[in-house]
Amino acid sequence: MRSLPRVLIVEDEPAIAELIAVNLRHNGFQPTWALDSETAQRELDAVLPDVILLDWMLPGESGLSLARKWRADARTRSVPILMLTARGDEADRVAGLDVGADDYITKPFSTRELLARIRAVLRRRAPEQAGASVTVGDLALDPATYRVSWMGQALKLGPTEFKLLHYLMTHTERVHSRAQLLDRVWGDHVFIEERTVDVHIKRLREALGPAGALVETVRGAGYRLTAQLPTASPACSGG
Ligand code: CA
C-alpha cells in the first residue's frame, strides 16, 4: 500500500540523469528529472519528493544556491538533499554540507553506492519509510501487515487514514499544519484543499474509537498525535 519513494533528480546532463532515473525506477523508486533550477523549483512546488539528488554544476542557479534556498523554506526544509559533485572538490563538498545537504556523492558513482546513500538518508529522515511497526502507548500499527490495533483489538482504517496515522505515529507530540500533512501524507498538495485533511482526521478519530482522543486539534495550528490520553475532566470524576 505504501507508495514508492519519490526522487527528484536535478541534473543538466541528460545521459547522467537518464541513467540515474532508469536505475532508480528498477529499484523501487519514483524518479522525476529537472534539467535546470527553474524546472526543479516547479517540480518541488507541485509535488514534494522524499529525496532530492542535486547536481552541483547547473546552468544558471547553482546546486549550492538551490540547497540553501530549499533549506530556508519551511515547506522543503526537511526533504533530504544528496548533492552530486565532481571528483576531488573537497571544498565544494564541505560547502554543500554547510548549507544543509544531507550527504554528497562524488561523480562518477556506482548505482549500488547511489542507492545505498539514498536509502541511508531516507532512513535517517523518515523512519516510516523503513516499514517497521510502530507503537504509541496502546496503539500499534504494522505497515508490513497493514494492521492497526488498540489495546490488542484490531481496528479498521481506510488507506488514507492508515497513511495519516502512520505519519502521525512516527512524528508524535509535534504539531503538523494541514499543509504539512498534505505534503507528507498525500504527497501532492496542489489539487487538494486543506479541508480534506480535516475530513480524514475526523474519519481517523472515528475509526480509532476511544483512542481517537490521541489525535488532538491544536487550534489555529493543526493536529498532533499524543502518547497520553487526556485525563478525564473534573466534571466526570464525580465527588
Ligand atoms: Ca552538471
Side-chain angles (χ1 to χ4, degrees), residues 13 42 49 59 62-63 70 78 96 105 131 142 169 190 205-206 211 220 226:
E13 287 158 77
R42 266 205 308 280
S62 74
W70 292 336
S78 60
I105 189 162
D142 186 353
M169 284 179 74
V190 173
R205 282 188 179 129
E206 283 165 5
T226 177

Side-chain angles (χ1 to χ4, degrees), residues 6 17 61 83 133 149 158 173 178-180 183 209 218 232 235:
R6 292 187 180 87
E61 197 167 0
M83 294 217 57
S133 59
S149 64
E173 311 299 340
R178 289 166 179 81
Q180 282 166 345
D183 273 343
V218 181

